[in-house]
Amino acid sequence: MGASAAIQRFVQRDPRLSRVLKGALSGLAGRGLALVVSAVTLPMTVRYLGPLQYGVWVTISTTVIMLSVLDLGIANSLTNYISRAFAQDSEHMARQYYATAFWATSGIATLSGLLIALGWRWIHWGALFHLTDPVLARQAGQCAAISLTFFLASLPLGLANKVLGGYQRIPVANGFSMLNSVLGMIAIVTTILLHGSIVVLMASFCVAMLMGTLLLNLWVALRHRPRIHALPRYFHRAAARDILGEGILFFFLQVAGLIVFSSDNVIIAHYRGASEVTPYSVAWRLTTYATMLQSLLVPALWPAFSEAYVRKDMTWIRTTYRRIMRGTVFSVGVAALILGVIGRPIIRLWAGPAAVPGAGLLWTMCFWAVLVSITVNQAALMAATQRLKLQAFSSTLAAALNLWLSIVLVQRMGAMGVLLATIVSYLLLILAPQAFEVRRILSGRYLAPAESPDVVLAHAD
């Protein structure tokens, strides 16, 4: 009782920390639900589709995510601008930046869709996935078309999440994420029970996820306070210049991140066959649970750091960053150690023998999880404080090194070579440069003179 009261008093003294913790707790509930959904759907999908078709399914899913760079970093840039509007209590500024971002990404999605449609007939899906069955090759192309359509529609609609994040309303965003998880599970289970093909499975899953995103947008437009509408009349060229100017740095970071996190399955499928993707991707999925605590905190911390930085509250930023770094690295390290010991039996029971990775691959992934836990904290602080140039440069070099090493090593070492390429590139080109920049941020070196809300709004107009 005494400890609970002390925690409550501590949180009450720090409303910003209270919002972060509420976001983390709601995220915990969401992750718990996602874990249940994954525990139900992943083994069911692996067994229903088989290693080859599941490899096609997961490769298409992860490859389409790589196209998130098409928004040119607008979504991540919007998080900072909404956070600034929140810090300055400016509904006008938030409305302008959101509407500008929405219509800019809508235009990008439309143009991208037209270009993809024009080049579609030159893509040979059988050769891409090493598929000898012409029926499965045709189905792979149909699945890719469905997934791409869903993704392009989600580019502008997904910005509603950034609005909620900027206003530090993470619990609401997590609530809709939980709804998406449930809808996705219903779609997968229903399709499997009805013995639908891989194409029907992809279509039903994408429609379910899009439904949840549409409901989120309706909530932001009708229920969020302040109400932020993406009406065309709020589009402003000055806001577009701001968003795109910062967004291009996020763009380079996104490209680098996608090469690191989303290219592995494609490289393995191309050089080793789609069936080898299954144990790699399932092991990757399992080790991401080691970073659960961190992944719950970062979406709430980023806008909180950004808002605190606008208010020049460096004491809060330094104290919170150091606490988060110690806590997340410790928790990830313990979780990774446990998964390294019991991970393979869990995967065997969870997804079947075809999905079990080698012991060396699993332990290497556990080490990778700890390394990522450090760099993610660094990256969140740098993004929130708009210190992106060094990060973009070093991340681009790391991505290029990672891609080259992955192609070389996968042919000699299999899936393990892809993972080792990622670790080497991060150790050499990400960890140290980001540590250097974080020290300068925490020292207050980059703080700019205070800018009044009137000046900011004049600039936005």
Side-chain angles (χ1 to χ4, degrees), residues 80 302 305-306 309 317 380-387 441 446:
N80 284 340
W302 179 346
F305 278 144
S306 183
Y309 199 67
I317 291 175
L381 179 63
M382 294 168 69
T385 56
Q386 299 175 299
R387 304 307 309 174
I441 292 170
Y446 300 119

Side-chain angles (χ1 to χ4, degrees), residues 91-111:
E91 181 179 344
H92 175 64
M93 179 181 176
R95 187 183 295 118
Q96 285 189 346
Y97 278 97
Y98 176 46
T100 300
F102 183 91
W103 292 106
T105 52
S106 296
I108 291 170
T110 301
L111 179 60

Side-chain angles (χ1 to χ4, degrees), residues 278-280 282-283 343-349 351-359 361-362:
T278 298
Y280 186 90
V282 172
R344 297 180 76 229
I346 289 176
I347 293 173
R348 186 178 300 276
L349 292 172
V356 179
L361 178 62
L362 181 60

Side-chain angles (χ1 to χ4, degrees), residues 158-414:
L159 294 177
N161 264 315
K162 302 301 181 180
V163 172
L164 294 176
Y167 276 102
Q168 298 177 39
R169 301 290 302 277
I170 301 297
V172 177
N174 286 333
F176 281 97
S177 178
M178 293 169 69
L179 175 62
N180 268 1
S181 295
V182 173
L183 292 175
M185 180 180 67
I186 293 172
I188 290 175
V189 173
T190 302
T191 303
I192 291 175
L193 291 176
L194 294 176
H195 303 288
S197 67
I198 187 175
V199 177
V200 175
L201 186 65
M202 181 67 78
S204 60
F205 179 75
C206 288
V207 169
M209 300 299 286
L210 188 61
M211 186 183 303
T213 304
L214 288 170
L215 291 174
L216 169 61
N217 278 262
L218 287 175
W219 194 94
V220 169
L222 302 177
R223 300 286 297 173
H224 183 262
R225 294 290 187 275
R227 293 183 180 177
I228 307 297
H229 303 286
L231 299 178
R233 69 172 181 267
Y234 297 133
F235 182 93
H236 276 257
R237 285 179 294 178
R241 287 194 298 269
D242 289 341
I243 288 177
L244 288 172
E246 182 177 324
I248 197 65
L249 296 175
F250 278 115
F251 168 75
F252 285 112
L253 288 172
Q254 286 175 281
V255 171
L258 286 170
I259 290 173
V260 172
F261 291 104
S262 300
S263 65
D264 290 0
N265 290 334
V266 178
I267 292 172
I268 294 170
H270 181 72
Y271 287 99
R272 309 289 294 198
S275 59
E276 287 201 24
V277 174
T278 298
Y280 186 90
S281 64
V282 172
W284 185 284
R285 176 83 68 89
L286 182 67
T287 53
T288 59
Y289 293 126
T291 63
M292 180 178 293
L293 174 62
Q294 185 172 34
S295 62
L296 297 176
L297 288 170
V298 168
L301 275 174
W302 179 346
F305 278 144
S306 183
E307 179 244 332
Y309 199 67
V310 171
R311 299 181 189 273
K312 303 183 184 299
D313 192 353
M314 291 304 302
T315 299
W316 186 88
I317 291 175
R318 281 191 288 265
T319 302
T320 303
Y321 177 80
R322 288 164 182 159
R323 285 174 177 166
I324 293 299
M325 180 64 82
R326 289 193 297 268
T328 54
V329 171
F330 176 77
S331 65
V332 171
V334 172
L337 182 62
I338 294 172
L339 289 177
V341 173
I342 65 174
R344 297 180 76 229
I346 289 176
I347 293 173
R348 186 178 300 276
L349 292 172
W350 181 33
V356 179
L361 178 62
L362 181 60
W363 277 108
T364 307
M365 279 193 177
C366 291
F367 172 77
W368 163 242
V370 177
L371 176 61
V372 168
S373 70
I374 299 172
T375 59
V376 164
N377 286 331
Q378 296 170 334
L381 179 63
M382 294 168 69
T385 56
Q386 299 175 299
R387 304 307 309 174
L388 299 171
K389 290 182 179 179
L390 176 63
Q391 188 183 14
F393 178 73
S394 61
S395 296
T396 301
L397 292 179
L401 176 61
N402 175 59
L403 185 60
W404 175 73
L405 277 178
S406 294
I407 293 172
V408 171
L409 295 180
V410 73
Q411 299 176 70
R412 293 166 171 78
M413 305 174 62

